[in-house]
Amino acid sequence: DTGVSQNPRHKITKRGQNVTFRCDPISEHNRLYWYRQTLGQGPEFLTYFQNEAQLEKSRLLSDRFSAERPKGSFSTLEIQRTEQGDSAMYLCASSPDSNYGYTFGSGTRLTVV
Amino acid sequence: DQQVKQNSPSLSVQEGRISILNCDYTNSMFDYFLWYKKYPAEGPTFLISISSIKDKNEDGRFTVFLNKSAKHLSLHIVPSQPGDSAVYFCAAARASGGSEKLVFGKGMKLTVNP
Protein backbone atom coordinates (compact mmCIF):
# COMPACT_ATOMS: atom_id res chain seq x y z
CA ASP A 1 0.00 0.00 0.00
CA THR A 2 1.81 3.08 -1.27
CA GLY A 3 -0.97 5.50 -0.38
CA VAL A 4 -2.60 8.05 -2.67
CA SER A 5 -0.14 9.43 -5.20
CA GLN A 6 -0.53 12.82 -6.87
CA ASN A 7 1.51 14.24 -9.73
CA PRO A 8 2.98 16.70 -10.20
CA ARG A 9 3.64 18.01 -6.69
CA HIS A 10 4.00 21.55 -7.96
CA LYS A 11 2.86 23.26 -11.15
CA ILE A 12 3.48 26.85 -12.21
CA THR A 13 1.57 27.98 -15.28
CA LYS A 14 0.78 31.16 -17.10
CA ARG A 15 -2.74 32.53 -17.04
CA GLY A 16 -4.76 31.12 -19.91
CA GLN A 17 -2.87 27.85 -20.17
CA ASN A 18 -4.42 24.42 -19.58
CA VAL A 19 -3.15 22.14 -16.83
CA THR A 20 -3.81 18.51 -15.96
CA PHE A 21 -3.21 16.76 -12.65
CA ARG A 22 -3.12 13.04 -12.00
CA CYS A 23 -4.21 11.04 -8.97
CA ASP A 24 -3.49 7.37 -8.35
CA PRO A 25 -5.67 6.12 -5.50
CA ILE A 26 -5.03 3.15 -3.24
CA SER A 27 -5.63 0.21 -5.56
CA GLU A 28 -8.58 -1.42 -3.81
CA HIS A 29 -10.42 1.87 -3.17
CA ASN A 30 -13.41 2.35 -5.43
CA ARG A 31 -14.23 5.88 -4.26
CA LEU A 32 -12.13 8.85 -5.35
CA TYR A 33 -12.51 12.51 -4.41
CA TRP A 34 -11.03 15.84 -5.50
CA TYR A 35 -10.81 18.80 -3.13
CA ARG A 36 -9.26 22.24 -3.44
CA GLN A 37 -7.60 24.13 -0.60
CA THR A 38 -6.67 27.79 -0.69
CA LEU A 39 -4.49 29.59 1.85
CA GLY A 40 -6.11 29.85 5.27
CA GLN A 41 -9.09 27.72 4.31
CA GLY A 42 -10.07 24.11 4.76
CA PRO A 43 -10.38 21.74 1.81
CA GLU A 44 -13.41 22.39 -0.42
CA PHE A 45 -15.17 19.55 -2.21
CA LEU A 46 -14.95 19.50 -6.00
CA THR A 47 -16.11 16.10 -7.20
CA TYR A 48 -16.53 12.40 -6.37
CA PHE A 49 -16.23 9.18 -8.37
CA GLN A 50 -17.43 5.72 -7.54
CA ASN A 51 -15.44 3.49 -9.84
CA GLU A 52 -15.58 5.26 -13.23
CA ALA A 53 -18.85 7.10 -12.59
CA GLN A 54 -18.73 10.76 -11.56
CA LEU A 55 -21.60 10.87 -9.06
CA GLU A 56 -21.31 14.24 -7.38
CA LYS A 57 -19.99 17.64 -8.50
CA SER A 58 -19.68 20.92 -6.65
CA ARG A 59 -20.83 24.23 -8.05
CA LEU A 60 -17.16 25.22 -7.61
CA LEU A 61 -16.41 22.99 -10.57
CA SER A 62 -16.96 25.50 -13.34
CA ASP A 63 -17.11 24.71 -17.04
CA ARG A 64 -13.32 25.15 -17.18
CA PHE A 65 -12.83 22.17 -14.88
CA SER A 66 -13.22 18.56 -15.94
CA ALA A 67 -12.41 15.37 -14.11
CA GLU A 68 -12.26 11.83 -15.38
CA ARG A 69 -11.60 8.39 -13.97
CA PRO A 70 -11.31 6.01 -16.90
CA LYS A 71 -11.67 2.34 -15.98
CA GLY A 72 -12.16 3.27 -12.36
CA SER A 73 -8.45 3.46 -11.63
CA PHE A 74 -6.44 6.70 -11.76
CA SER A 75 -8.13 10.07 -12.15
CA THR A 76 -7.23 13.29 -13.92
CA LEU A 77 -8.37 16.83 -13.18
CA GLU A 78 -8.00 19.32 -16.02
CA ILE A 79 -8.32 23.08 -15.74
CA GLN A 80 -8.70 24.96 -19.01
CA ARG A 81 -7.82 28.62 -19.50
CA THR A 82 -6.39 28.95 -16.00
CA GLU A 83 -7.03 32.09 -13.97
CA GLN A 84 -5.10 33.49 -11.01
CA GLY A 85 -7.99 32.50 -8.75
CA ASP A 86 -7.30 28.85 -9.61
CA SER A 87 -4.07 29.01 -7.61
CA ALA A 88 -4.55 26.49 -4.81
CA MET A 89 -3.59 23.09 -3.49
CA TYR A 90 -5.56 20.37 -5.29
CA LEU A 91 -6.06 17.33 -3.08
CA CYS A 92 -7.12 13.86 -4.14
CA ALA A 93 -8.44 11.27 -1.70
CA SER A 94 -9.71 7.73 -1.91
CA SER A 95 -11.82 5.43 0.23
CA PRO A 96 -12.90 1.79 0.08
CA ASP A 97 -16.41 2.58 1.23
CA SER A 98 -18.65 5.38 2.37
CA ASN A 99 -17.21 6.02 5.81
CA TYR A 100 -15.70 9.42 5.03
CA GLY A 101 -12.36 8.44 6.60
CA TYR A 102 -10.59 9.21 3.35
CA THR A 103 -6.91 8.74 2.66
CA PHE A 104 -5.61 11.97 1.14
CA GLY A 105 -2.63 12.41 -1.15
CA SER A 106 -0.05 15.13 -0.56
CA GLY A 107 -1.67 17.33 -3.18
CA THR A 108 -0.63 19.29 -6.27
CA ARG A 109 0.13 22.95 -5.65
CA LEU A 110 -0.90 25.08 -8.62
CA THR A 111 0.40 28.61 -9.07
CA VAL A 112 -1.04 30.67 -11.92
CA VAL A 113 1.10 33.67 -12.83
CA ASP B 1 -21.17 31.19 4.38
CA GLN B 2 -19.09 28.94 6.61
CA GLN B 3 -21.21 25.97 7.66
CA VAL B 4 -18.39 24.54 9.78
CA LYS B 5 -16.54 27.00 11.97
CA GLN B 6 -13.32 26.71 13.88
CA ASN B 7 -13.17 30.09 15.52
CA SER B 8 -9.78 29.79 17.18
CA PRO B 9 -6.93 29.83 14.66
CA SER B 10 -4.35 28.46 17.06
CA LEU B 11 -3.77 26.79 20.42
CA SER B 12 -0.59 26.26 22.39
CA VAL B 13 -0.36 23.72 25.24
CA GLN B 14 2.32 22.09 27.33
CA GLU B 15 3.29 18.48 26.78
CA GLY B 16 1.28 16.17 29.02
CA ARG B 17 -1.65 18.57 29.37
CA ILE B 18 -5.04 18.35 27.69
CA SER B 19 -5.67 19.97 24.30
CA ILE B 20 -9.28 20.93 23.55
CA LEU B 21 -10.14 21.87 20.00
CA ASN B 22 -13.59 23.27 19.30
CA CYS B 23 -15.85 23.28 16.25
CA ASP B 24 -19.32 24.68 15.58
CA TYR B 25 -21.65 23.94 12.71
CA THR B 26 -24.74 25.67 11.41
CA ASN B 27 -26.40 23.07 9.17
CA SER B 28 -28.72 20.86 11.23
CA MET B 29 -28.73 18.31 8.39
CA PHE B 30 -25.14 17.30 9.20
CA ASP B 31 -25.16 13.93 10.93
CA TYR B 32 -21.58 12.71 10.74
CA PHE B 33 -18.50 14.53 11.96
CA LEU B 34 -14.79 13.95 11.62
CA TRP B 35 -11.45 15.37 12.67
CA TYR B 36 -8.43 15.37 10.39
CA LYS B 37 -4.84 16.26 11.23
CA LYS B 38 -2.46 17.84 8.75
CA TYR B 39 1.31 18.15 8.87
CA PRO B 40 3.11 20.60 6.54
CA ALA B 41 3.61 19.32 2.97
CA GLU B 42 1.29 16.37 3.59
CA GLY B 43 -2.37 15.75 2.93
CA PRO B 44 -4.86 15.63 5.82
CA THR B 45 -4.95 12.40 7.82
CA PHE B 46 -8.18 11.01 9.25
CA LEU B 47 -8.12 11.01 13.05
CA ILE B 48 -11.51 10.19 14.56
CA SER B 49 -15.22 10.44 13.72
CA ILE B 50 -18.61 10.48 15.41
CA SER B 51 -22.14 9.84 14.25
CA SER B 52 -24.97 12.09 15.42
CA ILE B 53 -26.54 9.13 17.24
CA LYS B 54 -23.67 9.27 19.73
CA ASP B 55 -22.37 12.02 21.99
CA LYS B 56 -18.89 10.65 22.56
CA ASN B 57 -16.32 8.55 20.73
CA GLU B 58 -12.94 7.61 22.10
CA ASP B 59 -9.81 6.26 20.43
CA GLY B 60 -6.74 6.10 22.60
CA ARG B 61 -5.66 9.61 23.55
CA PHE B 62 -8.33 11.17 21.32
CA THR B 63 -11.96 11.73 22.30
CA VAL B 64 -14.59 13.57 20.29
CA PHE B 65 -17.65 14.99 22.02
CA LEU B 66 -20.82 16.02 20.17
CA ASN B 67 -23.48 18.38 21.52
CA LYS B 68 -26.23 18.34 18.89
CA SER B 69 -28.45 20.87 20.60
CA ALA B 70 -25.59 23.38 20.62
CA LYS B 71 -24.33 22.28 17.19
CA HIS B 72 -20.90 21.95 18.74
CA LEU B 73 -18.20 19.32 18.80
CA SER B 74 -14.83 19.18 20.44
CA LEU B 75 -11.71 17.08 20.20
CA HIS B 76 -9.82 16.28 23.41
CA ILE B 77 -6.24 15.07 23.26
CA VAL B 78 -4.93 13.67 26.54
CA PRO B 79 -2.04 13.70 27.21
CA SER B 80 -0.79 16.01 24.49
CA GLN B 81 2.53 15.15 22.86
CA PRO B 82 4.91 17.28 20.75
CA GLY B 83 4.12 15.03 17.76
CA ASP B 84 0.51 16.20 17.96
CA SER B 85 1.62 19.63 16.74
CA ALA B 86 -0.24 20.06 13.46
CA VAL B 87 -3.24 21.78 11.88
CA TYR B 88 -6.53 20.14 12.85
CA PHE B 89 -9.60 20.29 10.64
CA CYS B 90 -13.15 19.64 11.71
CA ALA B 91 -15.42 18.25 8.96
CA ALA B 92 -19.10 17.41 8.63
CA ALA B 93 -21.25 15.36 6.27
CA ARG B 94 -24.91 14.63 5.48
CA ALA B 95 -24.50 10.88 5.63
CA SER B 96 -28.21 10.09 5.69
CA GLY B 97 -28.67 12.32 2.66
CA GLY B 98 -26.37 10.06 0.66
CA SER B 99 -23.83 12.80 -0.01
CA GLU B 100 -20.17 11.88 -0.15
CA LYS B 101 -19.18 15.50 0.34
CA LEU B 102 -17.29 16.64 3.42
CA VAL B 103 -17.54 20.27 4.54
CA PHE B 104 -14.38 21.38 6.33
CA GLY B 105 -13.66 24.17 8.77
CA LYS B 106 -10.70 26.50 8.26
CA GLY B 107 -8.49 24.55 10.61
CA MET B 108 -6.70 25.26 13.87
CA LYS B 109 -2.97 25.08 14.46
CA LEU B 110 -2.06 23.16 17.61
CA THR B 111 1.40 23.57 19.10
CA VAL B 112 2.46 21.24 21.90
CA ASN B 113 5.51 22.54 23.70
CA PRO B 114 7.99 20.08 25.29
Side-chain angles (χ1 to χ4, degrees), chain A residues 33-36 42-48 56 58 60 93-95 97-104, chain B residues 3-4 30-36 44-50 89-95 98-105:
Chain A
Y33 311 84
W34 284 99
Y35 281 76
R36 180 177 73 181
E44 296 175 288
F45 174 81
L46 292 178
T47 190
Y48 151 65
E56 201 170 346
S58 165
L60 291 175
S94 69
S95 175
D97 53 34
S98 186
N99 69 358
Y100 301 102
Y102 311 155
T103 300
F104 277 92
Chain B
Q3 296 186 71
V4 177
F30 288 144
D31 55 6
Y32 199 80
F33 305 90
L34 306 93
W35 286 93
Y36 281 80
T45 301
F46 168 70
L47 199 54
I48 192 168
S49 62
I50 187 167
F89 292 97
C90 172
R94 293 180 57 184
S99 173
E100 294 282 329
K101 169 185 171 181
L102 283 179
V103 179
F104 284 84

Side-chain angles (χ1 to χ4, degrees), chain B residues 22-39:
Chain B
N22 293 305
C23 178
D24 296 292
Y25 61 97
T26 57
N27 189 338
S28 58
M29 301 298 289
F30 288 144
D31 55 6
Y32 199 80
F33 305 90
L34 306 93
W35 286 93
Y36 281 80
K37 177 172 72 174
K38 185 182 183 303
Y39 294 120

